[in-house]
Amino acid sequence: EDQVTQSPEALRLQEGESSSLNCSYTVSGLRGLFWYRQDPGKGPEFLFTLYSAGEEKEKERLKATLTKKESFLHITAPKPEDSATYLCAVRAAGSGGSNYKLTFGKGTLLTVNP
Amino acid sequence: NAGVTQTPKFRVLKTGQSMTLLCAQDMNHEYMYWYRQDPGMGLRLIHYSVGEGTTAKGEVPDGYNVSRLKKQNFLLGLESAAPSQTSVYFCASSPAESRETQYFGPGTRLLVL
C-alpha cells in the first residue's frame, strides 16, 4: 500500500528564517511526486511535480528536491504570506484505477511570523 | 476563466437526506475527480472520471454516486447522508496531456446531523 508521511505536522518560523519540510514515501514505482499549497478554507494549489531522484524545481522562495525515499520542500527567507498547509502527494505505477490515484500526506502547517 | 467551481459552498443535511454536489470546469480538461478531506487525514479519492460518460471508483466510494453527462461537469451524489459523510469535498480536474497535475476547486463543506 502506498504511504506518504509528512513532517513536521506543524512548523512555526520567524520571517526570514529558512527551513525545510519533509515528505517520505513508500510506493511501488514512483510516477510522480507533487507538492501543493493549501490556504485555510480553500482548495489545494499546485506547486511542483518531481519525477525522478535528483530532480529539483524552484518557484520564488520554494525549492523542491527528490530522492528515492523522500522529498524536501526548502523555504528560503520565508514571508508571512508563505503561511499555509503544504501537502505532498505521490502517484504510483500501476494499472487501471491506480494510474489516476494520488496518495496524499496529511500536510505540514507552516506559520511564518513577522 | 473561472477554473474549477463547486456548488454549494456549504450545506447542512439531516441523516438520511440526499443531495448532489456540482463541480464545473471551464478548462476543457478530460479528467475529473472527487476527494474528501477530513481532519488528521490526507485527501482521499472518492470517484473519478476519465472522460464524458465514464466514471470509476476511487479509494472511498461507498455511499456516493457520480455522473459525468457533460465534459465540463462532474456530479457527486449522496443518496442517504450519514454523519460519517461530514467532510470537506473537493473537486479537481486535469488535462489529458498532463493528467497528474490536478487543479482543485474551492471545496464544499458538508455537515450531516
Side-chain angles (χ1 to χ4, degrees):
Chain A
E1 182 180 331
D2 304 331
Q3 287 191 336
V4 177
T5 303
Q6 292 188 246
S7 62
E9 290 185 8
L11 180 63
R12 191 177 294 271
L13 300 174
Q14 289 298 122
E15 185 172 2
E17 180 187 2
S18 302
S19 188
S20 297
L21 312 183
N22 177 265
C23 171
S24 63
Y25 61 90
T26 304
V27 65
S28 53
L30 182 70
R31 284 295 176 90
L33 184 140
F34 310 88
W35 283 98
Y36 285 83
R37 170 192 169 124
Q38 186 173 23
D39 293 301
K42 296 189 176 182
E45 176 188 348
F46 172 76
L47 291 174
F48 304 110
T49 306
L50 302 167
Y51 291 104
S52 57
E55 189 175 358
E56 299 182 351
K57 294 274 181 74
E58 286 190 67
K59 180 180 180 180
E60 296 180 353
R61 295 176 292 282
L62 300 178
K63 179 180 178 180
T65 62
L66 180 65
T67 72
K68 289 186 177 180
K69 293 185 178 181
E70 58 191 349
S71 176
F72 292 93
L73 185 65
H74 307 276
I75 304 175
T76 302
K79 298 181 178 181
E81 52 262 41
D82 294 321
S83 297
T85 296
Y86 290 86
L87 303 174
C88 173
V90 298
R91 186 166 81 90
S95 60
S98 62
N99 269 333
Y100 306 96
K101 177 176 174 288
L102 292 184
T103 300
F104 281 85
K106 297 178 183 179
T108 293
L109 174 61
L110 174 66
T111 303
V112 183
N113 295 317
Chain B
N1 193 340
V4 179
T5 58
Q6 294 184 232
T7 309
K9 288 184 170 56
F10 176 69
R11 183 77 182 269
V12 179
L13 288 180
K14 294 181 179 178
T15 297
Q17 287 185 318
S18 63
M19 78 163 295
T20 300
L21 283 66
L22 171 64
C23 174
Q25 52 94 4
D26 60 3
M27 298 175 283
N28 200 36
H29 286 173
E30 288 294 328
Y31 304 107
M32 297 187 74
Y33 316 82
W34 276 108
Y35 290 88
R36 61 178 289 173
Q37 186 175 43
D38 302 293
M41 303 188 74
L43 284 153
R44 292 180 292 169
L45 183 65
I46 304 172
H47 286 281
Y48 64 96
S49 168
V50 302
E52 182 179 320
T54 72
T55 63
K57 294 180 180 180
E59 190 180 352
V60 287
D62 294 342
Y64 305 95
N65 56 74
V66 288
S67 64
R68 186 136 180 237
L69 299 179
K70 294 183 179 181
K71 185 177 183 179
Q72 63 267 33
N73 295 337
F74 196 27
L75 279 63
L76 178 71
L78 286 74
E79 290 187 349
S80 179
S84 60
Q85 294 178 303
T86 293
S87 188
V88 181
Y89 292 86
F90 288 101
C91 176
S93 69
S94 59
E97 66 273 17
S98 178
R99 63 184 183 193
E100 59 268 16
T101 304
Q102 298 183 11
Y103 298 88
F104 284 80
T108 293
R109 189 172 298 272
L110 177 66
L111 175 61
V112 183
L113 301 175

